[in-house]
Amino acid sequence: MLRNYLKIAYRNLVKNKVFSLINIFGLAIGMAACLIILRYVVFESSYDTFHQEADRIYRVALRSSIFGEANDISVANHPAVGRTLFADFPEITDFSRLFPIDIFQETVAVKIEYQNEEQTYIEDNIYVADTSFLSLFAFPLLAGDPATALKEPNTVVLTTSIAEKYFGTTDVVGQNIFVNGNDDPILVSGVLSEFPENTHFQFDILVSTPTFPFLDNNSEAEYNWKWPEYYTYVQLATGVDPADIEAKFPEFIDRYMQAIHEKYKFTSAFLLQAVPDIHLHSSYLKEIKSNNSQTLITFLSLIGGLIVLIAWVNYVNLSTAKATERAREVGIRKVAGAHRRSLIGQFLTESFIINSLSVLLAVTIVQIVWPYFQQLTGQEIDSTFGWWLQLPFSLVLLGFLLIGTLLSGLYPAFVLSSFKPLQVLKGKLYHAGSGRGKVRISLRQSLIVFQFLVSIMLIAGTLGAYQQLEFMRSQSLGFSQEELLIVKAPSIRDSTFLNKSEALKAEWKQYTAVKDVTASTDIPGKEIKAPTDFRRATASDDDLNVVYVIGVDEDFLNTYEMSLVAGRFFKEDREADQEKLVLNEKAVEMLGYASPEDILNERVYVWRGGDVEREVIGVLANHHQRSLNNDYDPILMLRTDQRAPINYYSLRVNTTNIRESMDQIAAEYARFFPDNPVESFFLDDFFNQQYQADQRYGQLFSLFAILAIFIACLGLFGLATYTTQHRFKEIGIRKVLGASVQSVIALLSRDFIRLVLVASAVALPLAYLAMQQFLKNYAFRIEVSWWLLLLPVLIVLLIALLTVSFQTVKAALANPVDSLRHE
């Protein structure tokens, strides 16, 4: 019996080559797209799951009044929190802290003396870590002991890539590095194995906490409870509910921080974040690196499911459409004594063969396109063939085969096997039950409407995401980012640094290619990680607001081409303006002034290690310090000084001979700061890096939207082919009676156009609601205009017409004699 099933299935596949290829390739592409999305989703969901007992490790985040609104959360906490929680809570079995060294200095100069050669590198991804860090987290060491590698002062652990960069080998334990011109060596005590991609951590060098004794003082020191810069992790004992720990936090905070709260007028609350949840569920202040969104991952998963569903819908539609050609076969089989069960088995066997071929082809497609997909996502994900053997993916492949066979085979099997032999042999194609043929046609049309509906929504979503991205990239930022070359300030400094800095600026200004130069602590496009509080001088201590402080010089306004809305900017005389400040409109609004002019010459208190009184001399127009995903930041500008050190030089340059100009700029820098390698970049590239995630997801959605439409078009092409063949004689008669080619084309296309319009009526409200929900993620966003909803309908309508036109035009132009000669 099985041999007979296989033989007939093979003959049908060969006999109907076009329909077989459409089914196989449509299913294969749909499965491949779904597998690619699944692989990506599994990877994104695997972040930090490789740590031993990762489900028991939590990050202690902080909600504090110093960060503004109640729902603003910082993922960094105070220095003493980890150690004190470990001491007071028996439910906490271990803890560790991580501290970004760029809080002190934007970049670090690392000098290497190796094999009689000396080389200096600039690094900006260095963290201070507790001894327990390498034991708590599963970052295996290629060399060194994780229990002691970060135990002693003046020791560091390097990643594999940094070790090879510095020494050309990973066998570097015992070697020394020198930091920021300091003659005291720092010992390399360990080398991390290849750093995994799927972790929220991001560092190149780990420095032991004992290297900086002042960072590890006892918990009684006041700064330990009011300096929220430490990433704090705790491990809970087995079976401990994190909610029970969080319930004890208020009493813990009152015990240790009540005096601090009363003195500095802020409040605190702690919350636990499961480490494996951070990547997809955390997007707060001071994240170590940008995280992904569970909403986007869910949306991608939904698209993957819809794509493979569209492919299966194609198979069902084409199989039932071909029912008329196989009706006589079914009738003869039934007359010959075939039972309905054997007929169902025959059609399921054919479905199994097509799905099996599709699964094999899908695996091949994924292996071929996977490297290109990794380039698109910008992530290194395992591309070896072995990942197919992992349980989730092998189960999915088996599921594709079984579910695809049943889902795409059962309905056609029951439809075809239900034909009454007497009616079939008389040319009547209705199956058992009166009027059931119309039900079949109605279902087929519903499935086509579903395909059009999904296509319209995917196109609308892609267009909406693209428009939002273009909107953000084209909006005025409140400053000019074109032709701005950023040069990082030197890491190795001495007491003459400020004088050298002013002299260097003066030399650069002599170049014809340099229009303006300024020095500042921060630049647009960079999150300012250390906000502070400020208030009116006449306000009470409780009336605090948060502000982001930027240190600037007198040339900042002109170099960045920002606008003053009131007052003046800083003068060249540093001493005259040392006690002055400039606010932006957002900061003025937060203080409650009706207009920028009202705050001029007023005095405010700014926290600079204590309340410091400053006079407001000017108000800047708002500018975007960060991407348009975020609202305007309240900005306060002070003159650069020891507490606001220079981290960047910004040069507005003529880009005509930019390479030559950059060489001159670098040579002048090297003359003033010979021990520091120059590091530079253009601001527009740096600022637009914030949109890389949006751009990548836009490209991903576009890619899978195109695939979904392509698969739907394969089905439409097959149905159009069948429809024109089925109505070939009708077309011939119409042409003999005088019908024009245009009228025949309109006749054959009308049904598809109607189905597109029905799909549009359902899809457009859903697309509108989905876009509105998506745009809520952006502080500055587009309005969903009518054309953004109409255009997807027109695109799908055009694609549908082009898809079916090949067959309809061919049928309309055919000689009616060819279709009627056998009548």
Side-chain angles (χ1 to χ4, degrees), residues 518-594:
T518 187
S520 60
T521 59
D522 291 281
I523 56 174
K526 177 181 176 294
E527 179 185 357
I528 305 173
K529 293 187 176 181
T532 189
D533 57 341
F534 79 130
R535 58 184 174 86
R536 295 191 191 195
T538 57
S540 68
D541 291 346
D542 297 327
D543 191 12
L544 295 176
N545 296 276
V546 68
V547 71
Y548 294 87
V549 178
I550 302 178
V552 300
D553 63 18
E554 67 278 2
D555 297 311
F556 190 86
L557 183 72
N558 291 332
T559 303
Y560 275 87
E561 298 180 2
M562 293 182 176
S563 300
L564 271 174
V565 295
R568 66 173 179 86
F569 203 65
F570 298 111
K571 296 178 179 178
E572 188 172 350
D573 185 354
R574 176 181 296 272
E575 295 300 324
D577 282 342
Q578 200 64 46
E579 304 298 318
K580 308 292 195 300
L581 60 81
V582 174
L583 299 174
N584 72 345
E585 293 175 291
K586 180 74 173 181
V588 173
E589 178 186 336
M590 291 181 66
L591 289 178
Y593 287 90

Side-chain angles (χ1 to χ4, degrees), residues 774-786:
F774 166 74
L775 292 173
K776 286 182 180 179
N777 296 319
Y778 300 91
F780 297 86
R781 50 186 177 265
I782 61 172
E783 293 292 333
V784 181
S785 54
W786 62 270

